[in-house]
Amino acid sequence: MKVLILSNMFPSPNNINRGIFINKRLEQYNNFNIDYTVIPVMYKDNLKILRKILKKYPEESIRELNGVKYSKVEKKFNIFEILWNEIDMKYFAKKFAKTVEEVINIKIFDIIHAHGLYNRLPAGLVANILSKKYNIPYFLSLHGSDINLVMKKRKNIYLEVLEEAKKSIFVSNALLKKAKEYGYSGNNSEIIPNGFDNNIFKSFEKCIIRKNLGIYEKNYYYVGFVGNLNYIKRADKLPEIFHLMNEKKKNIKFIIVGDGVLKKEIENKTKDLDIIFTGRLTQNEVAEYMNAMDIMILPSRNEGWPCVVLEANACGTLVIGSNSGGIPEAIYFDKYIINDGQNFEKEFAYRVIEILKKGYNKDILLDRSKNYTWENIVKKEIRLYEK
């Protein structure tokens, strides 16, 4: 079986973890003998000087990561095309599809699978164009922001791409529900969440990990956050949540794993706390810090399917999160979900303190996480291919 993968998400030289959930599933494709070609869907422009001034550099893809090779398909647009066709996604998608045809023999593929409907050049729209021309069925995977943040203003094109796919695959029921609110029928929908790498995310003795990391302190609790430090993740509220917790319990060490536009602001507002900022880490390093935590918090304003929940659970660490998007589905247990509202930050902080005092059953988390290994997730995708 030959599969053409088109993805808006891919590892770049500046961020090797970007789109890591695409790379991880393709590593499994190698294990299942799926013959695939993966193309990063992006374009280049001739705005080098302007980009240098604004420090907004063009997207780049690395050529290979962990045995997954990324084909080099580049389509360049000039400033006049970009300005004239600012909101015409079909113009860009048709041009990119034509470039793909020039580089790769599309006729050899049995299936086209697109990940994402992002930006000016949505992978799903490119798949739709190629599918119609070559009569090859296409699958479309939606991961979150493409539906939650972008579909509202682009729903006419999005609906066409969603409805005409052989299967539109959503990472959570919440994301499917959101798409239906914009008019999607759901007749060809499937729910398949993203998975986690159980070779990396596994449970170790917390005290030993803390000592290895050089952060061990006797009789201390460890509460952390893993993710991009931006508004969507509600990282702007981390200082308030942490301070409310610190008022109730002084023996808490806070850990923030990640980077982003709000990092400086958060650092300035938490100087009085016992807090560690790790910056952006490799997945192996993230797993170590997840193991070190007693509780990880996820107060996001929006999520498609937060992989970090199952990753943390596989490390034996409980996650307490907001009721946004796919977070409740990933966490599963109602008592660890905080509803949005006027006193959200206070309720969130106090629930963490309550669970720190009561404790939780680590074995339940470990058992449930086994259902979400990449091997199990990819098996579900392959069954759709075979049908």
Side-chain angles (χ1 to χ4, degrees):
M1 186 185 302
K2 292 183 179 293
V3 183
L4 175 61
I5 306 289
L6 302 171
S7 180
N8 282 131
M9 296 151 286
F10 43 84
S12 68
N14 295 326
N15 185 359
I16 203 165
N17 286 328
R18 183 170 179 260
I20 192 68
F21 46 87
I22 307 297
N23 203 88
K24 286 295 179 182
R25 65 172 23 90
L26 295 180
E27 289 175 35
Q28 287 294 324
Y29 279 33
N30 291 334
N31 296 334
F32 284 99
N33 295 317
I34 298 293
D35 187 1
Y36 68 88
T37 297
V38 56
I39 297 176
V41 180
M42 60 182 176
Y43 68 91
K44 300 222 170 182
D45 54 46
N46 59 351
L47 306 177
K48 287 184 180 179
I49 296 175
L50 181 60
R51 283 185 174 278
K52 192 172 183 180
I53 293 171
L54 297 175
K55 293 185 178 179
K56 290 185 177 293
Y57 300 104
E59 290 185 313
E60 295 283 351
S61 170
I62 62 173
R63 297 274 69 87
E64 184 175 350
L65 180 63
N66 296 334
V68 177
K69 296 180 180 179
Y70 291 83
S71 299
K72 188 174 183 179
V73 177
E74 291 187 352
K75 174 60 186 171
K76 293 184 179 180
F77 294 96
N78 61 50
I79 181 64
F80 302 106
E81 288 179 291
I82 292 169
L83 293 176
W84 188 258
N85 299 280
E86 177 62 27
I87 58 173
D88 187 357
M89 288 185 292
K90 285 192 174 181
Y91 175 86
F92 291 98
K94 287 176 181 176
K95 291 284 188 180
F96 188 85
K98 182 65 176 174
T99 305
V100 172
E101 292 177 84
E102 293 169 356
V103 177
I104 292 172
N105 181 9
I106 308 297
K107 294 178 181 178
I108 67 171
F109 294 101
D110 303 298
I111 288 169
I112 301 171
H113 192 159
H115 287 272
L117 277 172
Y118 296 98
N119 307 324
R120 185 184 282 124
L121 186 53
L125 183 52
V126 177
N128 177 272
I129 292 166
L130 292 172
S131 173
K132 287 177 178 177
K133 183 171 182 178
Y134 291 92
N135 195 29
I136 299 172
Y138 74 95
F139 291 78
L140 174 62
S141 286
L142 296 312
H143 294 275
S145 296
D146 40 11
I147 301 298
N148 287 327
L149 302 181
V150 189
M151 187 171 178
K152 184 177 182 179
K153 60 184 178 182
R154 297 177 174 175
K155 69 176 184 178
N156 290 338
I157 291 177
Y158 276 31
L159 286 174
E160 179 184 337
V161 176
L162 284 165
E163 299 287 5
E164 293 182 358
K166 194 70 175 177
K167 288 291 181 181
S168 285
I169 304 168
F170 297 80
V171 291
S172 65
N173 282 289
L175 197 64
L176 170 58
K177 182 181 177 182
K178 192 72 174 178
K180 286 182 176 180
E181 289 175 9
Y182 293 124
Y184 169 57
S185 69
N187 292 335
N188 61 341
S189 66
E190 291 282 342
I191 306 296
I192 301 180
N194 285 318
F196 75 94
D197 189 337
N198 57 316
N199 292 315
I200 294 176
F201 295 95
K202 45 192 172 184
S203 180
F204 295 99
E205 178 59 45
K206 291 188 181 297
C207 284
I208 293 175
I209 288 291
R210 291 166 187 168
K211 287 176 181 177
N212 289 344
L213 291 171
I215 62 173
Y216 174 79
E217 286 195 49
K218 191 176 180 181
N219 298 324
Y220 261 67
Y221 294 99
Y222 292 72
V223 176
F225 169 88
V226 177
N228 292 320
L229 301 180
N230 58 30
Y231 184 80
I232 293 295
K233 299 290 185 181
R234 213 183 315 234
D236 54 305
K237 295 297 183 179
L238 290 178
E240 183 178 350
I241 293 170
F242 286 170
H243 276 107
L244 286 165
M245 291 171 55
N246 196 58
E247 289 173 8
K248 292 287 185 180
K249 261 190 176 298
K250 297 296 182 184
N251 59 333
I252 299 178
K253 191 179 287 289
F254 300 99
I255 303 171
I256 292 183
V257 178
D259 205 346
V261 294
L262 296 176
K263 185 179 180 182
K264 287 291 182 185
E265 177 186 329
I266 297 168
E267 285 177 333
N268 290 333
K269 290 182 177 179
T270 57
K271 287 180 179 178
D272 58 326
L273 298 176
D274 189 349
I275 190 165
I276 299 164
F277 289 85
T278 71
R280 190 172 282 129
L281 301 176
T282 66
Q283 284 214 307
N284 285 292
E285 292 167 329
V286 170
E288 288 186 305
Y289 277 96
M290 281 182 171
N291 266 285
M293 299 173 191
D294 293 297
I295 291 176
M296 192 185 87
I297 69 169
L298 189 62
S300 301
R301 292 181 171 92
N302 225 323
E303 290 280 356
W305 173 265
C307 300
V308 290
V309 171
L310 280 309
E311 290 170 350
N313 289 172
C315 294
T317 297
L318 178 72
V319 180
I320 296 179
S322 67
N323 68 338
S324 298
I327 293 176
E329 292 173 61
I331 291 178
Y332 185 72
F333 302 101
D334 289 342
K335 60 184 175 180
Y336 303 136
I337 305 296
I338 311 299
N339 293 325
D340 240 323
Q342 193 172 3
N343 296 315
F344 174 81
E345 291 79 16
K346 188 174 183 178
E347 290 183 17
F348 204 110
Y350 290 1
R351 184 71 56 83
V352 174
I353 296 299
E354 178 188 347
I355 302 302
L356 285 176
K357 291 177 180 178
K358 289 184 177 179
Y360 55 86
N361 190 330
K362 173 181 173 180
D363 291 335
I364 292 176
L365 303 178
L366 293 174
D367 285 343
R368 181 171 176 268
S369 70
K370 292 174 184 176
N371 297 318
Y372 298 91
T373 64
W374 274 121
E375 181 181 0
N376 287 331
I377 295 302
V378 167
K379 281 180 181 177
K380 293 180 180 181
E381 291 186 355
I382 292 174
R383 279 197 285 269
L384 289 185
Y385 289 170
E386 290 170 345
K387 287 181 183 178

